Amino acid sequence: MLPVTLRSDRVLLEVPTRADTVAITEGCQDPEVIRWTTIPTPYRPQDANAFVDALVGPGWASDREYTWAIRQPGSTWLDGVISWRAERRDLGFWLAPSARGKGLVHDAVALVVGWAFDRGAPDVYWECYVGNTASAAVARRAGFSYTGTGDANIPNRDGSPASAWKGLLRADGRPASDLPWPAESFRPGAGDATGAGPAGSLGS
């Protein structure tokens, strides 16, 4: 399908392009983005170009993966990336340090989840590596139910297994689980995620 633009008062979501190479490259230098995703490291401009050319465009064209640049209204600068994959119905995102604390990820997640539900998805899946309290805070605020801790769908950068906190948000509004969120997933002040979900696809 053709790329779709989504917007709220605080955020504009539109397809990333090669014009975003500098912003993507800068965002992927952040230690927290590196820590919680599987982007290449060191991350170079050619990695950003490959991300746009080999993943973003083909993902939309094939209806496999839908990727948006996170921008602030009135700005052309890419503050982060959010993606939703059709096969697993899973959500992923990262946000650059300079854009955190403004509610951008919260709005971006709400827009993409609402879009997925409008397209007929019965639910949306989220996961992050254990320890990513900022991502867990976003998922809780968005209404995801914690469904357990287990092997991550995407292993560590070196290929070794990773442990992930997992969550699900149902289109019908019913809780997907009555499990409590792990105590260690709470961190005072945590509010913007640095990486979640299909981490490898969000930077490589």
Side-chain angles (χ1 to χ4, degrees), residues 1 15 61 66 88 96-97 102 107 120 127-128 134 153 164 182 184-185 194:
M1 69 180 295
V15 64
Y66 310 98
R88 290 184 179 140
K102 301 177 181 179
D107 279 23
E127 72 172 33
C128 73
N153 288 331
E184 62 270 24
S185 71
T194 53

Side-chain angles (χ1 to χ4, degrees), residues 10-11 20 23-24 27 69-73 75-81 94-100 102 104-105:
R10 289 188 294 192
V11 73
D20 298 308
I24 295 170
I70 300 173
R71 309 187 200 276
Q72 297 177 62
S75 173
T76 60
W77 186 256
L78 179 147
D79 288 313
V81 172
W94 63 260
L95 196 69
S98 61
R100 294 172 195 159
K102 301 177 181 179
L104 303 185
V105 166

Side-chain angles (χ1 to χ4, degrees), residues 40 121 131 170:
R170 286 178 168 162

Side-chain angles (χ1 to χ4, degrees), residues 48-68:
N49 289 337
F51 167 66
V52 169
D53 295 345
L55 189 141
V56 174
W60 280 97
S62 65
D63 284 319
R64 291 195 311 267
E65 182 164 353
Y66 310 98
T67 302
W68 291 266

